[in-house]
Amino acid sequence: DDHPVKEVDWKPVLATARKEAPFQVLAPVNLPAGWRATRVTWVPQGQPYLNGQASPRNLWQLGFLSPDDVFIDLNQGDVQPQEIVDQQSREGTPDGNSVVAGQTWQRLISPDGRTRSLVLRGPEVTTIVSADLPYGALEAYVSTLSTGP
């Protein structure tokens, strides 16, 4: 209660990312009521990112709080994919696979067992979804991701 949730308007940033990105930008569609976007970032490769340093990749990030106030994070990047996977999964190690909509996502679990991630590696972009949730909840979220409106 000390830190009220600051919601962000993510759809204009999504529209820009979809125009500029050299890959298919994913975002959830038809999320149930109660989901709140709290982080959105689109950084073209070479543009200032953390600490003003040039971003090594085209980077799309979208974070939501679930109705239970659990943060779920979507990241997509096209260069140095292992670096983004390590960062977002908190140095996660392989923990099997999940199949969602016919695509095989690698499961990762953080060393402390709290954070689970699903990773989809493609030739143009690596996608990672992470949260302190069971894999089933991550799979349900991944099933809402789309490249369209």
Side-chain angles (χ1 to χ4, degrees):
D1 291 332
D2 298 352
H3 303 282
V5 172
K6 183 176 185 308
E7 291 188 54
V8 295
D9 185 4
W10 58 279
K11 293 192 175 173
V13 182
L14 172 64
T16 300
R18 285 189 169 156
K19 275 190 269 195
E20 296 178 357
F23 52 80
Q24 295 285 307
V25 174
L26 294 173
V29 291
N30 301 323
L31 282 177
W35 286 78
R36 296 158 293 159
T38 59
R39 179 177 88 149
V40 63
T41 308
W42 163 243
V43 184
Q45 186 174 16
Q47 294 299 308
Y49 183 47
L50 295 176
N51 302 323
Q53 299 295 316
S55 177
R57 68 184 60 84
N58 291 292
L59 179 64
W60 165 246
Q61 299 177 308
L62 182 60
F64 276 88
L65 277 179
S66 72
D68 299 327
D69 289 331
V70 177
F71 185 72
I72 190 163
D73 204 16
L74 164 67
N75 291 266
Q76 289 185 283
D78 59 352
V79 175
Q80 299 173 350
Q82 193 57 50
E83 180 184 75
I84 193 172
V85 169
D86 289 345
Q87 288 170 353
Q88 299 305 321
S89 70
R90 298 181 46 232
E91 305 292 330
T93 55
D95 192 31
N97 294 306
S98 292
V99 177
V100 181
Q103 293 184 305
T104 301
W105 295 67
Q106 180 185 31
R107 291 177 170 189
L108 299 177
I109 189 159
S110 62
D112 65 5
R114 275 189 43 207
T115 303
R116 288 171 185 77
S117 302
L118 295 179
V119 179
L120 183 64
R121 298 173 197 269
E124 295 177 359
V125 65
T126 295
T127 303
I128 180 167
V129 174
S130 301
D132 293 350
L133 290 168
Y135 289 117
L138 290 176
E139 292 162 0
Y141 180 77
V142 163
S143 73
T144 72
L145 298 179
S146 172
T147 59

